[in-house]
Amino acid sequence: PPLGLPGEPRQRSSAPPFPQPSVPPVTEAVARRALLRFVASRCCYGSRAAGELVIRELRPRVAYRYRLETFNESRLSEWAFEPFTKLGASRPPGDVPPDPWDVEVGAPPLFQGQTRRCRVPRSALVRKCHRCHGHGRSKCGACHGAGRMRCVTCKGSRRRLKQQQRCQLCSGTGRSRCSTCSGRGSKTCATCQGEKKLQHFRQLVITWKNNVFEFVSEHHLNFPGELLSRVSGENVFKDENVLVYPIVGFPEPAISLASRRAIAAHSTAFATSSRILRQRQTVEQIPITEVHYQYSGKPYLYYIYGLENEVYALDYPQRYCCGYAI
C-alpha cells in the first residue's frame, strides 16, 4: 500500500527547542492537602497522623513519558452476497473491478479508530442460490419435508392418554400439520429470500487504528513506575506529521532512545501491510515530590506525583486492619 497521503510533505523537520517546565513546586500546604485527600479515600487509614505530622523536606523529582501514536489504515477484500432483486445489476463481461487501494473512502478523524465496510465497484456477479439450488424454497427442517409431524398432544399414540379417547387435535392419526411450513414441506429460502438468485460482490473492510507506544523514564525512586501511566503531566514536546523522525538531543537520553526504537518498530509493523496516515509523538514531564516527614518521633516518606497531585504512601503510620492498628 502507498505510504502517507498524496501531496503531504515528508521532509525531516528541524528539532524544536525543549521548553523548561512551568509546573509550580509543591508547598507544604499542598502536600498536606494531598495526603489528607489520599487518606480519606482509604477505609483503613486514619486522618490524625496526616494532620499532625511534621514535614521536614520536600524534594522535587521528575520523570518523562514518551508516547508515539501511529494512525494507519488497512484494507481487506472479501466476498459477500445478497438476494438478487435488480435486473441488469451484474457486472458486464470484461469489466474489471478496481484495486482495493484505488477505492476512494473518506477517512475518520485522525487518531480515532474505526471499521467501515463498502462495496467494491464493478465487482457484482449473479449466480444461482447455492442453498436452494435456484428453486427459491428449501426443505423444512422441522418436518424434514414431510409436511406433517408427530402430534404434540397424543405424541403419536392417536389417543389421549388419560381419557383413552381418540385425539381430537390429529383426528386419531397420530400426526398433525407442521406449523413451521404450514404443511407444505418447504419454506421460503432464507438465503435468497425466494429470489432464486444471489448477487455476489467484493466487500471492502477498511480498518483505521491508532497504535500507541508509551515509555516512562526511570526515576530511581522507591515508587511503582506503572502509577505514572495513570496521571497527566506537562507537555514539553509535540511533533506531528505523516512520518515523524526520532527525537534528537533531548535532556533525558532515554527518551531519545525510546523515540528511535518506537519509530523503527512502528515502521516495521505497519508500513508494509497498511498505509500510515499520520504519526504523532509527545513528551510529557511528570512531576514527582518526595515528602519527608516525622510523626511520633519516627521518620516517614510519601510521594506526590502527576498534575493531579496523587499520593503514594506505602508506610503511612496510622493504618488499621479489622479495627486494630498495624
Side-chain angles (χ1 to χ4, degrees):
L3 288 176
L5 296 175
E8 288 272 3
R10 295 180 58 188
Q11 296 83 9
R12 179 186 293 268
S13 57
S14 59
F18 304 107
Q20 293 297 320
S22 61
V23 179
V26 173
T27 63
E28 289 192 13
V30 172
R32 194 179 300 273
R33 284 198 301 268
L35 183 60
L36 286 169
R37 186 178 68 250
F38 168 79
V39 168
S41 65
R42 300 297 191 273
C43 62
C44 296
Y45 281 48
S47 60
R48 187 182 64 184
E52 296 178 356
L53 61 83
V54 178
I55 296 177
R56 295 300 186 185
E57 185 181 6
L58 299 171
R59 296 179 186 176
R61 308 289 186 182
V62 67
Y64 292 98
R65 177 170 56 219
Y66 170 81
R67 181 183 288 116
L68 172 67
E69 299 173 82
T70 298
F71 185 60
N72 72 317
E73 174 185 334
S74 59
R75 297 191 175 195
L76 172 66
S77 179
E78 60 185 16
W79 281 105
F81 60 82
E82 63 184 7
F84 177 65
T85 58
K86 298 179 181 179
L87 296 177
S90 61
R91 184 179 75 194
D95 197 3
V96 180
D99 184 89
W101 286 101
D102 292 335
V103 179
E104 294 186 6
V105 180
L110 291 175
F111 306 107
Q112 295 184 20
Q114 191 180 115
T115 299
R116 195 180 303 168
R117 289 172 170 81
C118 67
R119 185 177 305 195
V120 177
R122 307 189 301 276
S123 65
L125 297 171
V126 178
R127 295 290 185 268
K128 184 170 61 175
C129 177
H130 57 271
R131 179 70 180 270
C132 65
H133 305 288
H135 295 95
R137 299 186 67 82
S138 58
K139 185 170 66 173
C140 177
C143 65
H144 303 287
R148 300 179 69 80
M149 300 178 62
R150 188 175 66 168
C151 178
V152 296
T153 302
C154 67
K155 302 191 183 315
S157 64
R158 304 183 182 185
R159 295 181 178 276
R160 304 186 69 172
L161 299 179
K162 293 184 178 181
Q163 292 84 359
Q164 292 298 315
Q165 298 176 354
R166 187 177 68 171
C167 179
Q168 297 179 355
L169 182 64
C170 63
S171 300
T173 61
R175 301 181 68 82
S176 58
R177 187 175 65 174
C178 176
S179 59
T180 303
C181 64
S182 301
R184 300 182 63 178
S186 64
K187 57 182 181 178
T188 301
C189 177
T191 302
C192 68
Q193 299 178 9
E195 299 294 338
K196 303 181 180 180
K197 293 183 179 180
L198 295 174
Q199 180 173 256
H200 299 259
F201 57 91
R202 300 294 295 182
Q203 181 175 249
L204 194 60
V205 182
I206 310 170
T207 303
W208 293 275
K209 186 177 180 181
N210 189 36
N211 306 274
V212 180
F213 171 90
E214 188 173 290
F215 168 80
V216 178
S217 64
E218 293 289 338
H219 48 74
H220 305 292
L221 300 173
N222 186 20
F223 181 85
E226 60 270 15
L227 295 179
L228 298 178
S229 62
R230 307 173 190 173
V231 295
S232 56
E234 184 193 12
N235 194 291
V236 296
F237 175 78
K238 180 179 180 181
D239 181 23
E240 181 179 327
N241 210 323
V242 176
L243 294 175
V244 297
Y245 289 88
I247 299 175
V248 178
F250 196 81
E252 174 59 57
I255 295 298
S256 298
L257 179 61
S259 173
R260 185 166 67 252
R261 290 179 174 176
I263 292 174
H266 276 203
S267 177
T268 302
F270 309 123
T272 57
S273 60
S274 63
R275 181 171 66 180
I276 295 178
L277 302 181
R278 202 77 175 172
Q279 285 187 315
R280 178 172 62 192
Q281 59 181 345
T282 57
V283 180
E284 291 177 278
Q285 179 179 277
I286 305 174
I288 304 174
T289 301
E290 285 185 57
V291 183
H292 295 262
Y293 67 96
Q294 194 170 14
Y295 180 73
S296 297
K298 297 181 180 180
Y300 293 92
L301 168 68
Y302 69 92
Y303 297 94
I304 301 175
Y305 60 97
L307 297 181
E308 299 85 354
N309 286 339
E310 295 292 331
V311 169
Y312 175 74
L314 180 62
D315 58 347
Y316 183 71
Q318 194 179 4
R319 290 179 295 162
Y320 303 92
C321 182
C322 301
Y324 296 95
I326 299 177

